[in-house]
Amino acid sequence: MLQLTLNDFSLEHFMEHYWQQKPVVIRQGFPHFKDLISPEDLAGLACEEEVESRRVFKTDDKWQAEVGPFESYGHLGKTGWSLIVQAVNHWSPEVAELVKPFAFIPKWRLDDVMISYSTPQGGVGPHIDLYDVFICQGSGRRNWRVGDKGEHRQFAAHAALLHVDPFEAIIDVELLPGDILYIPPGFPHDGVSLETSMSFSVGFRAKSACDMLSGLADYVIDKELGSTLLADPQRPIHQHQGQINAADFARIKAQLQSILDNDTLVADFAGSFLSKTKCVLDLQALDAPLEPAELLAALAEQPLVRTGGLRCFYLDATVAQGVCYVDGERYAFGPACHPAVLALCDEESLTPALLGAGLQSPAFVSALAQWVNGGYWYFLD
Ligand code: SIN
Ligand code: CO
C-alpha cells in the first residue's frame, strides 16, 4: 500500500497550517513512487465514451483544448501537449489505491483522481481551481509555479480553458517522481512538463451553497416534501397593497427555514446528494446474479472489494439505526446492522468478520446481493 511520508511536519501540522490555507511542496511524499497506470492504458481509457478526458496544446501560440473520446494520438507530435483524464480511480483499481493515503480527509470531500500525461513543454496553462489538490508527480520532471491567492483576472484562453493573467510565484519548483504539491482552492498555478511526465492529482471539492440549495430543491421535489402552503390566519388588515411587510417576510423565511430545521430531511438529503458520483462508475454487473445464500458462501471464501469511486456514507445521528447512503440512495437496516454499515462505508474491502451481525439481517444481505449483482462491490476472482 502507498504510504504518505511527511518529512518536514506532521499530518496534524499539515491540517492546521496548510489544508485550505496555503500551498506546500511535500518532497518525496511517496518515496519510490511508480506510475499507477501506463501512458498507453491512460490513452486507451481516453478513447472510451464514458471516460471524461481532454487534450490541451497550442497551435501558433494559441491555446487549444479538445474533449475526448479520442481516436488517435499519432498526429500530436513529441512535445507541447497534455492528455488529462478524470476519475481514473473509477476505472483502475491500481489508481484507486492512491486515494487510500489521503484517508485523513473524509471521502465525501473527495472528488477524483485525475491523471495527466504531458510531453515536454506540455501543460494546461496558468489557472485557478475550485479544488484542494495533491498533485503527485509520477515519472518525469515537471516545473510548477504557484501564485498567491488574490484578485486574479480569469479569461477564456479557449472556450474550454479558463486561464489567469500572469502571476508572481510564491512557489517555483521542479517536481521529481514521488514529490507532491498541495494546492488549496484559489491559488493560481501552472505546471509545465520538463520531459515526458505523468501527474496524479487527488482532488477534493467542497460544494457551494448554490450547489447544495439546488440539490436540496431537487430532493424536496423528488420526494414530494415541503408542500405545506404558507399560512396566515388572523392576518391583520394590510395597509399598503404593494408591500411585503416585515411580518410577511418573517413568515416567508420561516417557511423556508422549516425545511432547513428538519434535521432528518437535511441529513437524508446530504447523505443521498453527497454519495452520488459525478463521473460514471465502472459497474460490471454479474452475468449470473447471486442469490443471498450464494453471496454468503462466496463471502466466506474471499472479501468483497468496493468498486473505485463508489461513494457510501453514514451520519453520526442515524448510523446507530443502521442508516447509510450508497450511490445516492438511502438505506435503513436497523440497529443490529450498525457495525455492518460502519464497515460498508469506512472499509474498501468487506469480510464476514467486519460485517458481523449484518450478515444475519435478511434486508442487509439482500441489499448486499443486489449491490454485488450490480457491480458496486465485487469479488476479485
Ligand atoms: C495537469 O496535471 O496538467 C493539470 C493539473 C492542475 O493544474 O490542476
Ligand atoms: Co489546476
Side-chain angles (χ1 to χ4, degrees):
M1 181 177 146
L2 277 165
Q3 188 84 40
L4 179 63
T5 308
L6 301 179
N7 294 308
D8 299 331
F9 41 71
S10 65
L11 214 44
E12 288 74 16
H13 184 92
F14 171 79
M15 294 308 281
E16 193 177 337
H17 298 282
Y18 294 102
W19 172 252
Q20 289 256 301
Q21 295 165 65
K22 52 181 191 245
V24 63
V25 176
I26 303 168
R27 287 285 180 203
Q28 290 307 289
F30 289 124
H32 317 295
F33 186 81
K34 293 270 174 305
D35 289 342
L36 302 165
I37 189 169
S38 67
E40 293 73 22
D41 286 350
L42 189 72
L45 274 179
C47 297
E48 304 286 337
E49 191 76 50
E50 307 95 315
V51 178
E52 246 183 69
S53 59
R54 283 183 304 152
R55 274 192 311 220
V56 178
F57 51 94
K58 277 186 188 173
T59 42
D60 300 331
D61 231 28
K62 274 195 70 180
W63 286 96
Q64 308 288 344
E66 299 170 336
V67 174
F70 301 113
E71 284 178 2
S72 63
Y73 297 87
H75 58 291
L76 288 165
K78 291 201 178 339
T79 60
W81 62 273
S82 280
L83 167 70
I84 300 109
V85 186
Q86 293 297 144
V88 187
N89 54 316
H90 292 207
W91 304 93
S92 154
E94 292 77 20
V95 171
E97 286 292 309
L98 188 57
V99 174
K100 293 183 183 169
F102 297 97
F104 56 94
I105 299 156
K107 270 272 179 76
W108 72 266
R109 291 281 275 107
L110 178 72
D111 198 56
D112 67 356
V113 181
M114 181 189 94
I115 302 182
S116 93
Y117 167 84
S118 294
T119 56
Q121 283 92 56
V124 301
H127 66 280
I128 293 180
D129 290 319
L130 298 171
Y131 296 78
D132 291 272
V133 66
F134 295 89
I135 301 171
C136 310
Q137 184 64 35
S139 57
R141 293 172 306 131
R142 191 159 175 173
N143 188 262
W144 282 96
R145 293 179 69 256
V146 184
D148 209 348
K149 215 172 176 161
E151 294 297 312
H152 296 279
R153 188 184 71 98
Q154 299 193 70
F155 61 95
H158 173 273
L161 221 46
L162 193 60
H163 276 181
V164 281
D165 277 342
F167 57 84
E168 203 175 308
I170 54 170
I171 289 181
D172 190 342
V173 283
E174 196 175 294
L175 283 200
L176 302 174
D179 290 341
I180 302 172
L181 171 61
Y182 164 72
I183 310 176
F187 287 78
H189 53 279
D190 188 14
V192 179
S193 214
L194 299 171
E195 50 197 31
T196 298
S197 75
M198 298 271 275
S199 307
F200 298 76
S201 298
V202 182
F204 291 85
R205 185 174 195 166
K207 303 272 185 203
S208 67
C210 173
D211 295 334
M212 291 306 277
L213 284 171
S214 88
L216 179 62
D218 289 343
Y219 181 83
V220 164
I221 294 165
D222 271 8
K223 303 283 176 199
E224 298 183 8
L225 302 168
S227 52
T228 311
L229 299 178
L230 183 144
D232 53 357
Q234 289 149 9
R235 164 181 275 289
I237 304 289
H238 210 73
Q239 298 302 328
H240 308 286
Q241 252 194 319
Q243 179 193 32
I244 299 169
N245 70 14
D248 281 341
F249 177 67
R251 276 192 192 93
I252 292 163
K253 244 184 111 173
Q255 185 190 38
L256 292 171
Q257 192 65 50
S258 71
I259 299 276
L260 292 178
D261 284 344
N262 183 337
D263 275 358
T264 309
L265 186 157
V266 177
D268 283 343
F269 154 66
S272 312
F273 184 64
L274 296 171
S275 67
K276 279 185 198 150
T277 49
K278 193 186 75 181
C279 294
V280 178
L281 293 169
D282 180 22
L283 296 176
Q284 312 266 343
L286 293 185
D287 292 334
L290 296 175
E291 292 298 327
E294 295 171 303
L295 169 78
L296 290 177
L299 187 59
E301 299 295 319
Q302 55 172 322
L304 269 175
V305 180
R306 187 198 292 193
T307 202
L310 175 64
R311 301 167 76 87
C312 28
F313 306 124
Y314 56 85
L315 279 93
D316 289 345
T318 50
V319 66
Q321 302 306 313
V323 175
C324 62
Y325 307 86
V326 178
D327 196 29
E329 292 297 321
R330 177 186 188 272
Y331 297 84
F333 296 116
C337 291
H338 179 186
V341 163
L342 295 181
L344 193 77
C345 300
D346 285 337
E347 306 295 335
E348 292 300 314
S349 75
L350 301 171
T351 59
L354 283 170
L355 294 172
L359 297 182
Q360 314 297 320
S361 156
F364 184 81
V365 176
S366 151
L368 196 58
Q370 277 185 29
W371 288 322
V372 172
N373 291 335
Y376 292 88
W377 276 265
Y378 62 91
F379 292 112
L380 282 177
D381 301 325

